[in-house]
Amino acid sequence: MLFRSADAGRRRLLGRKRSAALREVEALLAGCEELRDVTAEDVAAANARQGVTVDRRYRVVCRELYRRFFEQCLEDHRLSGSERGDLAHLKNILGLDAEDVATVHDEVSRAVYGQAVEGVLEDHLVDPEEADFLRQLREELELADHIAESLYETEERRAR
């Protein structure tokens, strides 16, 4: 399955119509062979069928859809060219702006890198392969050096 659906429990947050529209969009994403098979028109049609217009609350949930897919892409600690293209497409069809995406990328990248550092420091030793893994991951996530160093220092203190 290309896109994993989340548990439905959003009715209180979004209301019945928005929840139904979101479930329909998630079903489109989960059921497609290629993410690029789902168009902005498909998403708009799902919203229209449910009588939903895109508002701030709905965009927040779309951002969470984007976050889940981004996290799923990073399970192997790498982003392939295809995954990068899928993320760009998902941004467009969900109507997210650059600020939405930058916020998600920053939060997810920090979390993924912090977890990786925590795993590397479990034995209180960093061998050359682990140091190389962290360097490559930092580059893959496009984390600024000062952020990566701060996350490393935080995990190092925690490991002591």
Side-chain angles (χ1 to χ4, degrees), residues 54-68:
V54 177
D55 61 8
R56 196 177 113 266
R57 286 186 298 173
Y58 190 74
R59 267 192 48 206
V60 167
V61 178
C62 287
R63 192 168 53 219
E64 288 306 310
L65 279 175
Y66 183 91
R67 175 189 310 276
R68 285 198 336 261

Side-chain angles (χ1 to χ4, degrees), residues 110-134:
R110 286 172 186 252
V112 167
Y113 189 77
Q115 291 167 354
V117 170
E118 181 182 7
V120 164
L121 293 175
E122 281 180 342
D123 63 0
H124 302 281
L125 298 171
V126 180
D127 62 40
E129 292 84 18
E130 291 170 324
D132 190 47
F133 163 71
L134 290 176

Side-chain angles (χ1 to χ4, degrees), residues 43-116:
V43 172
N47 291 336
R49 278 191 292 279
Q50 301 301 328
V52 171
T53 57
V54 177
D55 61 8
R56 196 177 113 266
R57 286 186 298 173
Y58 190 74
R59 267 192 48 206
V60 167
V61 178
C62 287
R63 192 168 53 219
E64 288 306 310
L65 279 175
Y66 183 91
R67 175 189 310 276
R68 285 198 336 261
F69 187 70
F70 185 44
E71 289 170 342
Q72 185 178 320
C73 290
L74 285 173
E75 286 177 352
D76 63 355
H77 297 110
R78 302 194 57 78
L79 278 177
S80 69
S82 175
E83 288 169 330
R84 288 179 192 275
D86 285 345
L87 286 164
H89 182 71
L90 189 59
K91 170 193 174 280
N92 291 329
I93 67 173
L94 294 177
L96 300 174
D97 60 28
E99 186 177 334
D100 289 326
V101 169
T103 299
V104 169
H105 279 246
D106 183 60
E107 292 168 357
V108 170
S109 294
R110 286 172 186 252
V112 167
Y113 189 77
Q115 291 167 354

